[in-house]
Amino acid sequence: DTGVSQDPRHKITKRGQNVTFRCDPISEHNRLYWYRQTLGQGPEFLTYFQNEAQLEKSRLLSDRFSAERPKGSFSTLEIQRTEQGDSAMYLCASSLEGGLNEQFFGPGTRLTVL
Amino acid sequence: AQKITQTQPGMFVQEKEAVTLDCTYDTSDQSYGLFWYKQPSSGEMIFLIYQGSYDEQNATEGRYSLNFQKARKSANLVISASQLGDSAMYFCAMRDTITGGGNKLTFGTGTQLKVEL
């Protein structure tokens, strides 16, 4: 069990640029979640996949944000035309169906928009 | 809407002592689940303990226990015999069922715990 991995760990970009983050969940987990965490706050839910289907999106996910999970394995989160307010830690989590639905988190991608 | 409140921004405890981190919640659901996560400075969220709303006994997991008081809507985390490695941010979270049976987590603002010698 290699855990949830995220790439890159850190990203610095200029305002207006596009960025893409990748999440590789635990292999047998069919549920995948994206959260955003700003300084001094707890993580906030962004979106949820069950296999390849995106089933839930938060109102926090503006039209500049898009997420995919094309084969039901890894997922990508793209932010277009980044703004300074997008600076945050982006966390990915995965879980199994049933039981506690305990979510296992990755190390996160820290985005800084200059 | 569900809400989690953590009123202690920061806590200090001496090594080997016990510490209680407070968490209150608000929900209209009869069935719900509460989680505690630890977030060290590295950033990864580490699951610690879970309490279901219908669990009659308080959850325990090693040095972690959850003081669950349903009528008061509180789910405080107790860490016994604190260690230096316990220094981290601690988040209380509630599970909220969403489309397709998934569960998003609603987090509080966290408590920064510092264990001192």
Side-chain angles (χ1 to χ4, degrees):
Chain A
D1 185 355
T2 57
V4 179
S5 61
Q6 293 186 245
D7 184 69
R9 294 291 306 275
H10 303 274
K11 179 71 177 178
I12 299 174
T13 191
K14 291 182 179 179
R15 186 164 52 93
Q17 298 294 305
N18 299 343
V19 294
T20 300
F21 311 141
R22 176 178 171 128
C23 170
D24 287 88
I26 293 171
S27 57
E28 62 267 29
H29 287 184
N30 64 335
R31 293 178 173 175
L32 187 147
Y33 306 81
W34 285 97
Y35 291 84
R36 181 173 68 187
Q37 185 179 21
T38 54
L39 204 60
Q41 301 295 317
E44 294 176 295
F45 170 78
L46 292 179
T47 190
Y48 156 66
F49 291 85
Q50 178 153 307
N51 301 311
E52 66 277 5
Q54 188 176 18
L55 297 183
E56 183 94 7
K57 289 194 288 186
S58 164
R59 58 179 172 76
L60 294 175
L61 213 65
S62 77
D63 56 7
R64 296 184 298 106
F65 288 70
S66 62
E68 293 183 343
R69 194 182 183 197
K71 297 182 180 179
S73 55
F74 73 91
S75 176
T76 58
L77 178 68
E78 181 184 15
I79 309 174
Q80 295 182 325
R81 305 180 304 281
T82 52
E83 302 173 354
Q84 288 185 326
D86 297 332
S87 295
M89 174 80 90
Y90 290 84
L91 293 162
C92 176
S94 69
S95 75
L96 288 166
E97 281 186 64
L100 301 183
N101 300 133
E102 173 196 340
Q103 294 183 21
F104 293 85
F105 282 80
T109 295
R110 184 170 295 283
L111 173 66
T112 301
V113 181
L114 302 175
Chain B
Q2 300 190 339
K3 186 177 179 182
I4 297 286
T5 302
Q6 294 180 257
T7 57
Q8 306 156 312
M11 289 282 286
F12 290 89
V13 64
Q14 288 209 316
E15 196 181 21
K16 299 179 187 177
E17 296 292 310
V19 63
T20 298
L21 306 183
D22 294 342
C23 172
T24 58
Y25 59 90
D26 189 19
T27 181
S28 56
D29 294 341
Q30 295 299 309
S31 176
Y32 51 88
L34 295 154
F35 297 79
W36 277 91
Y37 281 84
K38 172 184 178 182
Q39 187 177 42
S41 56
S42 59
E44 186 170 350
M45 301 285 284
I46 302 167
F47 167 73
L48 297 178
I49 196 167
Y50 167 82
Q51 180 82 43
S53 57
Y54 291 120
D55 294 341
E56 295 192 352
Q57 294 200 344
N58 288 340
T60 61
E61 195 70 49
R63 294 187 298 110
Y64 304 108
S65 61
L66 205 150
N67 184 0
F68 181 48
Q69 298 187 42
K70 195 170 181 177
R72 296 180 62 184
K73 293 190 174 180
S74 74
N76 299 338
L77 177 69
V78 180
I79 305 174
S80 63
S82 296
Q83 301 171 357
L84 293 177
D86 293 335
S87 294
M89 195 74 163
Y90 288 80
F91 289 97
C92 181
M94 174 175 281
R95 182 177 63 204
D96 187 8
T97 302
I98 55 178
T99 309
N103 296 281
K104 70 175 182 181
L105 294 174
T106 299
F107 287 86
T109 52
T111 295
Q112 182 71 50
L113 177 67
K114 180 75 187 299
V115 180
E116 300 174 318
L117 289 169

